[in-house]
Amino acid sequence: NTMSTANIGHFIGGQVVAGTSGRTQDVFNPATGAVTGRVALANRAEVAQAHDALSSRQTTGSTILLP
């Protein structure tokens, strides 16, 4: 029984975007200990981009809808 792993990026400005740092962290199923995915770790530029996107939405009162 082979389970595939999901690659999880970032959610910035209402869009799912891939990480660009090249760094990832394993995501584990707590019941089995199996790796179920890999989440992208953000670099400084990605954190700044997310901060700027959130700051602009807060000033406009926009609602962020998750996919």
Side-chain angles (χ1 to χ4, degrees):
N1 187 11
T2 303
M3 182 182 289
S4 64
T5 58
N7 289 318
I8 305 163
H10 306 297
F11 190 72
I12 300 175
Q15 302 293 318
V16 176
V17 295
T20 61
S21 74
R23 299 177 313 133
T24 60
Q25 177 67 46
D26 289 343
V27 177
F28 296 92
N29 177 327
T32 66
V35 175
T36 58
R38 289 189 175 73
V39 64
L41 300 178
N43 58 28
R44 288 181 188 257
E46 291 164 330
V47 171
Q49 183 182 8
H51 177 268
D52 293 346
L54 181 59
S55 294
S56 69
R57 289 197 184 259
Q58 287 178 339
T59 58
T60 62
S62 298
T63 300
I64 299 172
L65 301 176
L66 298 176

